[in-house]
Amino acid sequence: MDDCIVIKFGGGLITDKSMMCTPNHAVIDSLVNVVRDCLEDNLRVIVVHGAGSFGHLRSKHWKLNHGYLPDYDFLSQDDCKSQQHAVSLVRKEMLTLNKIVLDAFSKRGIATTKLPPHEWARNTGSNFDGNITKLFNNNKSVEITFGDIVDCDEGVFGILSGDDLVVRICQDIPNVKRLIFAVKGVDGILKRPPELADESDLIEHWSPSTEYSGVHNSEIDVTGGIGLKAIRGSEVAASGVDVFIINGEEPQRLLDACKGISTRGTQIFAE
Ligand code: IP8
């Protein structure tokens, strides 16, 4: 059985987060090239992508991360009048971003399998319900899923982050060797906020007891930023998978990390 790697394409990396539903085609294409090189190296690859400006901005406005709030007085948007409507729009917007990613793969002749979580997952957090082993069974293609709005037992709906999905994929799929979080704008987890940090502020080995600067853009994001990646990454590391946070705008570093070659970035440990 081929070794498997899981790559999370950060939402902030593959989109312009400041503008509603704006993809970054150049970055997506460069990530697809990295995946192609991994496939040529006989690695099986599973991709999970984030939402960026396709999910977070509208979810933030409608507080979709808090579930159904029938008594809250929301300000209507031109194209959206209720939380339920926002749920269906965000699901559509995520399918649009997913199609952009799938098209970038097909342009390079790479077969993909699309797995939208609202069709097969329920509840949020890394303990969500969903039969990963049954669904992710096509190792002839790159299986692709993404952060999404899912139905929930409590609160009617909620946001299942790609950072939660990767945990269960790494734990449930046999032979996953490495999990790589490809992120925007930083080389990994830093000791100081990115605008103050220099080269020497990169934390090369991180575990939950390490102090760090967890920048989280809570004006925009409804999920957890680098802090959620670090915590979820340490859950994955506990199951014996090597976990790295790598600057997604540095394709050679990404490729090296995917192949298990030492490179600049942060490796996450369980403790
Ligand atoms: O960007 C969030 O997924 P993430 C999904 O992987 C939505 O945390 C719809 C906001």
Side-chain angles (χ1 to χ4, degrees), residues 7-9 11 14 46-52 54-55 90-99 101-102 113-121 128 136 143-150 159-166 169:
I7 312 181
K8 165 88 195 282
F9 293 179
I14 62 170
I46 296 175
V47 169
V48 178
H49 66 77
F54 284 74
V90 172
R91 283 179 175 158
K92 269 195 204 132
E93 285 157 2
M94 286 310 298
L95 286 170
T96 303
L97 176 59
N98 183 240
K99 177 149 180 3
V101 174
L102 295 171
T113 304
K114 148 184 167 180
L115 293 155
H118 67 261
E119 292 175 2
W120 59 270
F128 70 89
F136 291 72
E143 292 149 309
I144 304 190
T145 189
F146 50 87
D148 202 0
I149 314 267
V150 294
I159 294 184
L160 178 60
S161 171
D163 296 341
D164 294 320
L165 284 155
V166 294
I169 293 171

Side-chain angles (χ1 to χ4, degrees), residues 82 94 110-111 124-125 187 199 207 236 257 268-269:
S82 70
M94 286 310 298
I110 301 170
T124 57
D187 286 350
E199 297 269 291
S207 67
V236 173
I268 312 271
F269 293 88

Side-chain angles (χ1 to χ4, degrees), residues 48-65:
V48 178
H49 66 77
S53 60
F54 284 74
H56 287 271
L57 297 173
R58 198 186 293 279
S59 298
K60 182 88 196 167
H61 180 91
W62 292 97
K63 298 186 185 293
L64 302 184
N65 49 326

Side-chain angles (χ1 to χ4, degrees), residues 74-258:
F74 286 101
L75 207 62
S76 278
Q77 293 175 308
D78 285 348
D79 57 347
C80 182
K81 306 287 170 222
S82 70
Q83 265 197 315
Q84 299 285 10
H85 190 193
V87 168
S88 81
L89 286 177
V90 172
R91 283 179 175 158
K92 269 195 204 132
E93 285 157 2
M94 286 310 298
L95 286 170
T96 303
L97 176 59
N98 183 240
K99 177 149 180 3
I100 291 167
V101 174
L102 295 171
D103 286 350
F105 278 94
S106 89
K107 244 179 14 197
R108 276 161 195 74
I110 301 170
T112 52
T113 304
K114 148 184 167 180
L115 293 155
H118 67 261
E119 292 175 2
W120 59 270
R122 200 175 166 84
N123 295 321
T124 57
S126 53
N127 251 339
F128 70 89
D129 300 314
N131 193 338
I132 305 258
T133 29
K134 187 167 152 244
L135 289 161
F136 291 72
N137 61 3
N138 184 353
N139 50 15
K140 295 275 164 288
S141 72
V142 176
E143 292 149 309
I144 304 190
T145 189
F146 50 87
D148 202 0
I149 314 267
V150 294
D151 293 340
C152 290
D153 298 336
E154 273 173 41
V156 187
F157 52 78
I159 294 184
L160 178 60
S161 171
D163 296 341
D164 294 320
L165 284 155
V166 294
V167 175
R168 285 284 300 292
I169 293 171
C170 289
Q171 290 171 344
D172 293 1
I173 301 288
N175 234 26
V176 175
K177 297 293 179 212
R178 287 175 287 281
L179 163 64
I180 317 293
F181 291 99
V183 297
K184 181 173 170 85
V186 285
D187 286 350
I189 302 180
L190 305 177
K191 293 182 198 141
R192 302 198 292 162
E195 59 283 5
L196 301 177
D198 63 31
E199 297 269 291
S200 66
D201 286 313
L202 176 69
I203 299 172
E204 291 179 344
H205 303 273
W206 185 91
S207 67
S209 58
T210 317
E211 279 191 30
Y212 71 108
S213 164
V215 176
H216 177 213
N217 197 346
S218 53
E219 293 296 301
I220 296 177
D221 284 350
V222 285
T223 54
I226 205 120
L228 182 63
K229 290 175 199 1
I231 294 299
R232 293 295 183 250
S234 70
E235 287 177 47
V236 173
S239 56
V241 173
D242 290 338
V243 182
F244 301 90
I245 298 184
I246 302 286
N247 186 334
E249 289 165 306
E250 295 286 345
Q252 188 59 49
R253 288 184 201 165
L254 264 186
L255 184 59
D256 286 343
C258 290

